[in-house]
Amino acid sequence: MDGPPAHERDAPGGIAELQVLLSALAYDITRPRSHELLVSMAGAPVDRAGVALLRVLAHEGEPLRIGRIAERLGVRAPHVTRQVRELERQGLLVRVAEAADRRAQRVAPTGKGLDTLARLDRAAQALLAESLEGVPADRIGYAIEVLRRISGARRPGDPLVGGR
């Protein structure tokens, strides 16, 4: 595949510029310092992997098995099991036995876990609002549409984690 024609690839506002900006954005928002700022603003000491796990559980709206969480996050189950133990220790989620098979367990966020996620989201939204001050709402809407297409998220509210 050759990619887009040169006039689209190299033009200001073209595919090449979008790709560079997305790479820079991905780097910036995944830096530990960026996460530390959000955690500090929200008063919610949870690591990035924990936030992603809480986000998947909150979006699903029902307890999930470890394997399903791992699938949604694109990681292996042992990674999720370790993260679940830590979040459980912090009181952010709880294990729930399945009715049909008492040995099988699902995981659900606690009220504290949902509150923590909400505080982190409010902190992130405050930073975004500050960054986008003066940008017209329709332009923000276009950006949302583009990012939704790139991420694979199809509906409002689809988490970007596991969207594809």
Side-chain angles (χ1 to χ4, degrees):
M1 181 173 173
D2 295 336
H7 72 277
E8 290 179 16
R9 186 178 54 241
D10 300 329
I15 298 297
E17 185 176 359
L18 178 61
Q19 184 272 321
V20 168
L21 288 171
L22 286 172
S23 290
L25 179 63
Y27 175 77
D28 188 50
I29 63 177
T30 59
R31 285 185 6 216
R33 180 176 260 165
S34 298
H35 181 73
E36 289 167 9
L37 174 62
L38 285 178
V39 164
S40 173
M41 288 175 66
V46 60
D47 65 18
R48 290 178 299 174
V51 173
L53 197 154
L54 283 171
R55 191 168 307 290
V56 166
L57 290 172
H59 176 74
E60 289 296 324
E62 65 182 15
L64 296 178
R65 285 186 174 197
I66 298 284
R68 177 69 175 132
I69 297 168
E71 181 182 297
R72 289 294 309 267
L73 292 172
V75 299
R76 294 181 40 229
H79 173 76
V80 173
T81 300
R82 284 189 299 275
Q83 195 64 46
V84 164
R85 270 192 228 115
E86 177 57 26
L87 294 173
E88 189 175 34
R89 186 188 67 72
Q90 294 177 11
L92 302 177
L93 57 78
V94 63
R95 295 174 198 249
V96 180
E98 282 197 24
D101 181 357
R102 303 297 291 174
R103 294 170 299 168
Q105 292 186 334
R106 292 179 182 252
V107 179
T110 62
K112 181 180 176 182
L114 293 174
D115 178 64
T116 296
L117 187 58
R119 288 195 329 263
L120 286 163
D121 284 345
R122 283 192 300 271
Q125 290 164 16
L127 289 173
L128 270 174
E130 185 178 314
S131 295
L132 296 173
E133 176 109 15
V135 176
D138 64 327
R139 297 251 176 146
I140 294 171
Y142 294 139
I144 291 168
E145 180 182 338
V146 167
L147 293 172
R148 203 177 273 140
R149 284 183 182 207
I150 291 168
S151 74
R154 299 292 177 231
R155 301 177 316 265
D158 277 355
L160 297 182
V161 172
R164 286 196 185 265

